[in-house]
Amino acid sequence: MERKIGVIGCGRVGMSYAFSLLHSGICDKLVLIDTDQRRVWAEAEDLRHGLSYLGRITEVWAGDYQDLHDANIVLITAGAAQKEGEDRMALLHRNADILTEIVGRIVQSGFRGIYLIATNPVDIMTRLCAELSGADPRRVIGSGTMLDTARLRFLLSTFFAVDPKNVHAYVLGEHGESEFVPFSQARIGTKEVLTICREDPSRFPISYLTQVEQRTVDAAGEIIAAKGATCYGIATALVKLTDAILSDEQSIFTLSCRLSGEYGIQDVYLGVPAIVTRSGIRETVTLTLREDELTKLKRSAAYLDSMYHRLAPSQV
């Protein structure tokens, strides 16, 4: 089966994803689309010039929306970038207008594949994409708290001095200020993090977990303040997600997807563990949260729902 990916928005995130995708060798065709046609032509040329050094040759070109009709996946990263000191929600109306135009043109192309959304605020943009496209909600997936979860696992791996792949923990809720870490679900290997802290408090003070959670929330802002944008981490996460979808891995990621009664939440898109397949999201994985954790998740969902309904009728 030929594997074809479209990328809409060739800024830092889009091009970091495209570069990583070529080096992964997981797709046969990659089409880049951007309003700046001169820039996107140059990006495609730059990528093509390195193909002879890669193990697998991928066809890369600067195209248009009609090229998406037979794509397996379209990644949308287009939109205004988050600025230093700016909350992701400040991008809401600007990026809703941009997304509305993009999704309309994707639908017109006859696209029937999977939408991946990375444009911020990602949870609301994912919900908006689902509404505008009329696609099966299982085929509309936001990057959600994938990157936040990776940041959390990295920080915990440093604290406990273990490989990040042996840290099993999640960030849930909004990809933003109301996200949180349910430490009741966090484990090193099969052992609960809270138990490890209680057994050896001098070595692993439980108070440090609060710092880890706050550093996870603050990470994007700190990077943006220092270099202007985040791109490599999210691009790496998106390539891993793309591979999992194309390979039908049945893998679990913390994605922005629609809840249909799970945790008592209806129709809101936010970051929760979900199983992905070649067809999109197969199902969410419902965690047994403590009462305080469930309250935080519902509070995050209520906030996202209220922000979504601030969009103008023409945007919804």
Side-chain angles (χ1 to χ4, degrees):
M1 180 187 72
E2 186 175 73
R3 298 176 168 191
K4 182 176 180 181
I5 309 295
V7 177
I8 302 176
C10 295
R12 292 190 184 185
V13 173
M15 292 315 302
S16 296
Y17 171 82
F19 181 78
S20 298
L21 196 65
L22 290 189
H23 281 261
S24 72
I26 62 175
C27 73
D28 303 294
K29 294 184 177 182
L30 175 61
V31 54
L32 308 178
I33 300 172
D34 196 277
T35 54
D36 188 339
Q37 296 184 0
R38 186 167 181 264
R39 160 77 183 275
V40 73
W41 169 84
E43 294 285 13
E45 284 291 287
D46 201 7
L47 289 175
R48 281 199 291 258
H49 292 166
L51 289 177
S52 64
Y53 294 112
L54 300 180
R56 176 172 178 166
I57 300 299
T58 302
E59 184 181 352
V60 185
W61 74 100
D64 58 33
Y65 286 88
Q66 291 308 307
D67 292 316
L68 301 177
H69 74 280
D70 59 347
N72 302 97
I73 296 171
V74 167
L75 170 67
I76 302 175
T77 69
Q82 185 180 351
K83 299 176 183 177
E84 181 180 350
E86 187 176 52
D87 184 88
R88 293 180 182 92
M89 282 300 172
L91 309 175
L92 180 62
H93 294 284
R94 283 179 281 167
N95 285 348
D97 286 337
I98 294 169
L99 188 74
T100 298
E101 180 180 354
I102 287 171
V103 173
R105 298 187 69 178
I106 294 173
V107 171
Q108 289 176 1
S109 77
F111 175 69
R112 293 291 182 270
I114 292 174
Y115 293 83
L116 292 187
I117 313 300
T119 300
N120 278 318
V122 69
D123 303 288
I124 295 177
M125 294 300 105
T126 305
R127 182 175 179 178
L128 181 60
C129 178
E131 293 295 327
L132 293 171
S133 67
D136 184 332
R138 292 173 295 183
R139 293 197 294 109
V140 183
I141 304 171
S143 55
T145 51
M146 274 190 79
L147 178 55
D148 310 275
T149 292
R151 288 167 173 157
L152 169 68
R153 291 175 179 176
F154 169 74
L155 291 169
L156 289 176
S157 75
T158 302
F159 180 49
F160 290 104
V162 297
D163 190 311
K165 293 189 291 296
N166 298 127
V167 178
H168 308 290
Y170 304 101
V171 176
L172 303 185
E174 174 201 6
H175 174 53
E177 295 302 312
S178 67
E179 67 184 31
F180 72 99
V181 179
F183 280 109
S184 68
Q185 306 298 308
R187 287 167 172 74
I188 304 297
T190 59
K191 192 164 186 176
E192 294 180 357
V193 162
L194 294 174
T195 298
I196 296 172
C197 291
R198 283 193 291 265
E199 289 179 349
D200 194 350
S202 61
R203 185 180 177 194
F204 303 118
I206 201 166
S207 60
Y208 183 75
L209 297 182
T210 301
Q211 298 177 41
V212 166
E213 183 173 30
Q214 192 59 52
R215 287 180 65 191
T216 300
V217 174
D218 294 342
E222 292 172 355
I223 293 171
I224 290 169
K227 59 172 275 189
T230 64
C231 53
Y232 303 130
I234 186 60
T236 302
L238 289 166
V239 169
K240 177 58 180 173
L241 176 58
T242 300
D243 190 19
I245 292 170
L246 294 175
S247 302
D248 201 30
E249 283 185 2
Q250 325 285 319
S251 295
I252 298 174
F253 301 98
T254 45
L255 303 171
S256 186
C257 52
R258 188 178 74 174
L259 296 188
S260 301
E262 300 94 330
Y263 307 103
I265 300 168
Q266 189 73 37
D267 296 331
V268 177
Y269 283 70
L270 77 171
V272 293
I275 301 171
V276 293
T277 70
R278 187 179 295 117
S279 301
I281 292 175
R282 191 184 84 193
E283 60 186 287
T284 60
V285 178
T286 306
L287 304 174
T288 304
L289 300 177
R290 296 184 318 222
E291 185 175 345
D292 63 312
E293 294 168 341
L294 182 58
T295 297
K296 290 178 181 178
L297 186 63
K298 288 183 175 180
R299 186 181 300 135
S300 187
Y303 171 68
L304 287 168
D305 192 46
S306 67
M307 295 303 293
Y308 176 78
H309 286 101
R310 288 189 185 184
L311 294 174
S314 60
Q315 295 174 319
V316 179

